[in-house]
Amino acid sequence: SGDDVTVQYTFGYKRCGDGNVRICLHHSSVPYQAPDSLNSSLTALSEIDVHQAQKAWGNAIKAITKAHQQKQDFVAVAAKAAGELYGYGHCDVLFKPTKATKNPFRPTGADAMSYFVGCDAMKDDKFKGEDAGFAINGGRGWSEVAFDNHMLDCRGATAHAMGEYIFTDAISGDKVTVEYTFGYKRCGDGKVRICLHHSSVPFQPSVAATAAGM
């Protein structure tokens, strides 16, 4: 083929008793190629990466809903999605869910799972009366999830997004708007995962507070 092949070497030479020079050391190797995971871990995040991560998140919510409605193992679907989307096991995750009350912060994957699929499905009484399963909308499900980014900020191997996402109730068709801040990080295996997720309902000032401010 005429292709050139590069090989690295270390040779040692020695003059032997008969006066002839011979090789006494020969180490030969192909040039080192870093694994793809190491190369990709240094790749900066782009807006395309963020958009893809957001699309995958929305699709995961709909997939969990579908599995629940079809009486399939929706917990397994959620667990697979959580492992792909969130950084648990790869990095610290700062997660403050929308409807969390007594336990507003979820530092572990199990805590996050309870929020998404419900404490009953996870058999975790710690979240009893709090986690009805956001991903299944308390049994009603979601038919659509749309992201509307206010701003994206890509900074090397991390990126942040702030905006609002609109969830469509699978039964009534009602739309629910929730505000978010997401942080994304390229993990050691080269995949982009969520490392920060703060979600909240839009602020509604009370009548009393409004009157007091007038």
Side-chain angles (χ1 to χ4, degrees):
S1 68
D3 293 341
D4 292 331
V5 178
T6 299
V7 181
Q8 299 166 338
Y9 65 80
T10 298
F11 275 97
Y13 301 91
K14 181 179 181 180
R15 190 177 298 279
C16 299
D18 60 1
N20 293 322
V21 176
R22 293 183 174 87
I23 297 169
C24 60
L25 166 65
H26 180 184
H27 184 131
S28 188
S29 61
V30 295
Y32 175 70
Q33 295 289 335
D36 290 340
S37 62
L38 294 180
N39 287 327
S40 59
S41 68
L42 301 177
T43 304
L45 268 67
S46 67
E47 291 190 5
I48 293 176
D49 291 315
V50 173
H51 290 148
Q52 289 176 340
Q54 292 177 337
K55 182 179 179 179
W57 194 94
N59 287 340
I61 295 296
K62 292 187 290 183
I64 297 166
T65 281
K66 182 178 179 180
H68 181 262
Q69 291 175 337
Q70 296 180 351
K71 300 188 183 308
Q72 298 174 349
D73 190 351
F74 69 99
V75 175
V77 174
K80 182 176 184 295
E84 294 172 348
L85 298 173
Y86 286 82
Y88 294 111
H90 298 271
C91 64
D92 290 335
V93 177
L94 288 70
F95 182 25
K96 189 277 174 190
T98 312
K99 295 182 177 181
T101 55
K102 293 180 295 183
N103 300 276
F105 308 112
R106 305 299 173 94
T108 71
D111 291 348
M113 280 289 293
S114 176
Y115 178 75
F116 282 116
V117 301
C119 60
D120 291 339
M122 292 298 292
K123 298 179 173 58
D124 192 340
D125 291 339
K126 174 183 177 182
F127 302 106
K128 202 75 172 174
E130 180 175 10
D131 291 353
F134 181 83
I136 59 175
N137 192 17
R140 299 176 63 85
W142 303 108
S143 61
E144 192 59 58
V145 181
F147 278 78
D148 183 11
N149 292 305
H150 164 65
M151 187 175 292
L152 298 180
D153 181 22
C154 298
R155 295 172 176 265
T158 63
H160 298 89
M162 178 179 284
E164 59 185 23
Y165 31 22
I166 297 89
F167 298 84
T168 303
D169 187 291
I171 295 178
S172 67
D174 292 341
K175 296 183 184 299
V176 179
T177 298
V178 181
E179 299 166 340
Y180 64 77
T181 298
F182 276 96
Y184 302 92
K185 181 178 183 179
R186 194 177 296 282
C187 298
D189 59 1
K191 295 181 179 180
V192 176
R193 292 185 175 88
I194 296 165
C195 60
L196 164 66
H197 181 184
H198 186 130
S199 190
S200 59
V201 295
F203 175 67
Q204 295 291 337
S206 67
V207 175
T210 301
M214 293 180 64

